[in-house]
Amino acid sequence: MLVLVALHALAAVVAPGLVRRWGRRALYAVALAPAATLVWALTHTGGVRAGEPVVETWPWVPRIGLALALRMGTLSWLMVVLVGGVGALVLAYSARYFRSDDPGLGRFAAVFVAFAGSMLGLVVSDDLLLLYVFWELTTVFSYLLIGYDPAKRASRRAAMRALLVTTLGGLAMLAGFVMLGQHAGSYRWSVVAADLPSGGYLVTALVLVLLGALSKSAIVPFSFWLPEAMAAPTPVSAYLHAAAMVKAGVFLVALMGPAVAGVTAWRVVLLLAGLATLFLGAWVALRQTDLKLLLAYGTVSQLGLLMVVLGAGTRDAALAGAAMVLAHALFKATLFLVVGIVDHATGTRDLRELSGLGRRLPALAVVAGLAAASMAGLPPLAGFVAKEAAFEAFRQGGTTDLLVLAGVVLGSALTVTYTLRFLWGAFAAKPGVAPTDPHPVRWSFLAPPALLAAAGLAAGLGAPALDGLLAPYADGYSSTGPGYHLALWHGLTPALGLSALAVAAGVGMFLLIHRGRLRPARWTPLDGAAGYERLVAGVDRLAVELTGATQRGSLPFYLAVILVVLVVLPGGALVAGGPWPRQFRAWDTPLQAVVAAMVIVVAVMAARALRRLTAMILVGVAGYGTALLFVLHGAPDLALTQFLVETVTIVMFALVLRRLPAKFSERPIRASRRGRIAIGVAVGAVVAGMSWVAAGGRLATPISARFPDEAVSYGGGRNVVNVTLVDIRAWDTMGEIAVLVVAATGVASLIFRRSRDLDRRSAVPGPRPTSGGPRWLTAGFEPHRHSVILQVVTRLLFHAIVLFSVYLLFSGHNAPGGGFAAGLVAGLALAVRYLAGGRRELNAAAPVDAGALLGAGLFLAIGTGVVAMPLGGEFLQSAVLDFHLPLLGHVHFVSSVFFDVGVYLIVVGLVLDILRSLGAEMDRQQESAHDDVRDKELV
């Protein structure tokens, strides 16, 4: 089964290429995937008849007990046959429905077969979480199929409405699944069904599940999305809204029915919602003049009937429901395909404009007549067999069942009425309407609906065989009697009389409407779309008001909201629950108190500073104080990194502050200032308290206690921090360097405002300034801009700093250093070069593209992890090599050094990118502005 799902995924991938090569004929090749599913299911017919399910289990997330658990029992087999068989025929039909030059044909083929694969996965899933994954995949793919033509507003609106309704229902269903799975200790439905909770817990879980099922199958009050989805092409409607997507909710109800049929809430919800949908859908169908919309509302009505029958909770009703699922898929898919042919042949679906089509397209009329007869419940079609079984199932019950039976008979009469309206509207000759002159219909276009109609006839004639296939599912329900069996003829029974009554009432109602004595349009039932529109409008209005109240363009306000939430929620939990450590140690050495006091004083001074540069320097001093605390605590590697980060940060701040006013804006009013002070103090107290509680409240032994030993044995190094970064927690580092690359790209895109400006990320040395003075650096000396002392110092120290960075890079595995610290040192060397000689000097010192450095570093880091896999290791696993070299002696080499080199290149590329954007590019823009001013003055 998993292979079949993968086959659909492969077909979805290659479908666009096949369509580009073969045009619409490629749809025949794509149809092989669902056709293979049909063939595979038919080969397991014997096992299904014997009640032997096909089970497959593949590991998925073993650590939390999740697996790709697939199971095909009787019900799943029926759905697999429909998903595969109808899907293949609809794709073959689409090869004639669409034009080869249709620009969206490749996308349609890919999404259609992907939807078919998702539907296949849904109906064979035994794990509830896996079922939910496929459930949502069908939602996404149906959104893409309904919105086939994004240029049409109706398509976009219908797709979005279907997506929102079914997604919200799916989320509720997921909550119900989680409740059931957590109680049972497993998400395998075969396990959950045997260990259901009781009482209100079970009722709540089942109601949540039903919200998903009802919304997916367009049951009241969620029925409004399906008719709007008719904006999709007709093949989409024939598949999604007859045999696949809308059947997902029906399938879920049928799947869970044997286990929960005795829950009153389950039965009541399904019976009431189903009957309401049955009546309202049929009544609105009588008012439609578009043949496709008539079928859409008829589909809504039939889905309500399916929910009523499958929600009855008895063995006979379950048998009738399974037969009805099959019959409905066959006749409704056929009729949708017929409407597509009518539309193609005549250019209209309006029954007021069609006349005499039955005489001009007799074969099409016969196909439509067979499918319509099945929908109306006439013998010897499958629809008659299923509907008679439903009548008999409710006839044997109590008062409630008899009331439901009356509603089902009335709904069946309405079904007959709109069936006759469909046949009359599509094929009858109408007085006063000019005869319709259709285009010829090729046999390849007519064959798919003809095969489906023939299948409905065969299922009716072969009812006993069908009973043998579906009975194992129905036998899962408790039954006190011998049980009903599907057959075309049971004799003159009350069920047969009810069928005749429904047909007669339906014919009479059609005649009354046709003669103008009954007008369905005079009464408008409840429309769920109005409630949906009000809800969406309310949400939109709430979003506008909330945005206006919170998104005020004030950074202090945004920051205050974030910090207040931090104080209220985690701070409140901290005060309420603790747990506070019983022991308190202020410091390890008095020097820590001195440094901490210095940091506090400097932080207060920074908050009170009036000049931006002063505040920036004070913040940097506070950072250096933090680094000094690391030194006093015995963490030289962290201290080194902190010192380097603060230094680079100061340089970057200095570059930005050149373009800002020297002083801060006017200070806030006294009340606002006090509020900010209060928030700052509260945040500091909360963070300090959380740190203290987190550190002192630990009960288990920290995992880091094993790091020193593992750093040597596993990572081959004595620097625990560096080995942790490049080996033990290399996945975390991989994510962090990816974020660095994204940040660098974001900075460049903000500063280099046009795409052609990005060329300046690569260093192309500009013309060297001519000057008679000494040239201490490559780009020369400009006395009015640069300091000769700084240039001399830079020339003396630059190469030493670069060599020091290389030393830190290669010594970091056993001593303080590593790729991150080394990259920062190299970046500081470039920053000094830029400060000494400007942007031209920076380009001369680093004639490389910053983006290339970033990409090369990320590629090298990832490549280091990938190389280990072909050699039998895991991704990012290190190899330790010890060997002897002449002159050098014993060499200890760890492969993770290449990962460190990748980090080094990324950090250097990031600093270089920032220097070129915040430094060189801003210099260039400022010089251009000065040149423009000077040119204007000269003019």
Side-chain angles (χ1 to χ4, degrees), residues 529-748:
Y532 170 85
E533 293 291 349
R534 286 193 294 269
L535 178 62
V536 172
V539 172
D540 288 343
R541 187 61 193 172
L542 177 62
V544 170
E545 296 294 337
L546 189 61
T547 301
T550 58
Q551 303 295 318
R552 299 161 57 180
S554 170
L555 293 178
F557 177 79
Y558 299 157
L559 185 59
V561 171
I562 295 171
L563 296 180
V564 167
V565 171
L566 173 65
V567 171
V568 172
L569 296 184
L574 189 66
V575 172
W580 297 98
R582 296 181 180 180
Q583 297 180 351
F584 177 77
R585 187 173 73 252
W587 55 71
D588 296 322
T589 172
L591 287 177
Q592 291 178 332
V594 175
V595 175
M598 180 198 71
V599 171
I600 294 174
V601 171
V602 171
V604 172
M605 294 175 61
R608 295 178 58 85
L610 298 179
R611 290 182 173 271
R612 285 187 166 88
L613 184 60
T614 304
M616 181 266 295
I617 294 174
L618 290 171
V619 170
V621 172
Y624 287 134
T626 304
L628 190 56
L629 286 175
F630 291 152
V631 173
L632 295 174
H633 202 69
D637 214 317
L638 294 179
L640 174 62
T641 303
Q642 181 69 23
F643 275 118
L644 294 172
V645 168
E646 286 299 332
T647 305
V648 172
T649 303
I650 289 174
V651 172
M652 302 311 165
F653 266 115
L655 295 177
V656 175
L657 292 181
R658 297 178 302 164
R659 302 294 297 271
L660 294 176
K663 293 185 177 182
F664 289 105
S665 58
E666 294 184 5
R667 313 305 290 174
I669 59 176
R670 185 180 301 274
S672 176
R673 189 184 310 172
R674 290 175 178 173
R676 297 182 183 189
I677 293 173
I679 291 175
V681 172
V683 169
V686 168
V687 173
M690 291 174 63
S691 302
W692 183 35
V693 169
R698 185 187 297 274
L699 299 177
T701 302
I703 191 175
S704 58
R706 302 196 304 267
F707 280 12
D709 294 334
E710 292 182 351
V712 177
S713 62
Y714 184 75
R718 294 187 299 273
N719 184 349
V720 179
V721 174
N722 183 260
V723 174
T724 300
L725 291 176
V726 301
D727 204 321
I728 300 176
R729 303 293 297 271
W731 272 106
D732 294 348
T733 308
M734 179 69 70
E736 291 163 3
I737 61 178
V739 171
L740 281 179
V741 173
V742 173
T745 305
V747 170

Side-chain angles (χ1 to χ4, degrees), residues 253-262 473 476-478:
V253 169
L255 176 68
M256 300 181 67
V260 301
Y473 162 70
Y477 288 81
S478 60

Side-chain angles (χ1 to χ4, degrees), residues 96-114:
R96 290 298 175 186
Y97 182 85
F98 293 101
R99 301 187 310 270
S100 290
D101 59 350
D102 195 315
L105 186 57
R107 183 179 70 254
F108 165 82
V111 176
F112 189 98
V113 74

Side-chain angles (χ1 to χ4, degrees), residues 227 230 281-282 284-301 332 335-336 339 349 351 375 415 417-426:
M230 294 302 108
V284 178
L286 297 176
R287 298 159 42 193
Q288 304 306 312
T289 57
D290 186 317
L291 292 175
K292 196 174 178 183
L293 277 179
L294 190 155
L295 291 180
Y297 283 103
T299 299
V300 170
S301 177
K332 192 54 65 74
L335 292 175
F336 271 118
V339 169
R349 301 192 306 252
L351 57 81
M375 182 165 66
T415 300
T417 304
Y418 67 70
T419 299
L420 292 174
R421 180 173 174 80
F422 173 85
L423 290 175
W424 170 81

Side-chain angles (χ1 to χ4, degrees), residues 641 644-645 722 725 740 809 817-825 900 903-904 907:
T641 303
L644 294 172
V645 168
N722 183 260
L725 291 176
L740 281 179
L809 171 63
F820 188 74
L824 290 174
V825 171
D900 236 0
V903 175
Y904 176 86
V907 175

